[in-house]
Amino acid sequence: MKDSAKSVTPLAASTIPCMINGHEVSLNVPPAKRLLHVLRDDLEMTGTKRSCDIGRCGACMVMVNGVPVNSCLAMAYQCSGKSITTIEGISAAAGGIDPIQKAFLEEGGFQCGYCTPGMIISVKALLDHNPDPTPLEIEEALSGNICRCTGYGGIKRAVQKAIEWRKEAYESESIRD
């Protein structure tokens, strides 16, 4: 019996320029590599969590050009020329701990903490685009994130606290100007 299977040559890796947490990088990755694996395995940014691998839990959420994206579904090549922000980038941009992160700590918006990075990314994306969301808009923004521990009460309180702090910071800046 003749073997009719053809030899398949894997596609070569390509260089993908992008910004990760404010730093220009060039990623040399194969076309089938997911952004999640680049971040966690290649760049050792383990704040982005791996969980469902099918885009249902939000644990791997990052921002791509300011929009929340499940990194388990995003192919690395799709990020060419784009700006990616991970949970590590949110802390660095704030020069320590971001007010959203602080609100999660103060309001008990976590238990095991596994979903927390994705939740914070989703809240950051929401508040950057809508600084005063309604409760329904908050629920919609968090609908792609699953928490199996908290029951969401602490998470919702944390979002409200972050909104209040942002308003206070904006008002105090306005007074100084």
Side-chain angles (χ1 to χ4, degrees), residues 4-5 29 33 55 71 90 99 103 128 159 171:
S4 62
V29 296
K33 195 159 196 176
S71 64
I90 288 176
D128 284 354
V159 175
E171 288 169 4

Side-chain angles (χ1 to χ4, degrees), residues 38-60:
V38 170
L39 294 172
R40 287 187 58 80
D41 303 338
D42 300 347
L43 301 176
E44 298 180 356
M45 299 175 120
T46 57
T48 302
K49 303 301 181 202
R50 179 178 179 214
S51 187
C52 73
D53 276 336
I54 57 172
R56 290 199 177 158
C57 72
C60 68

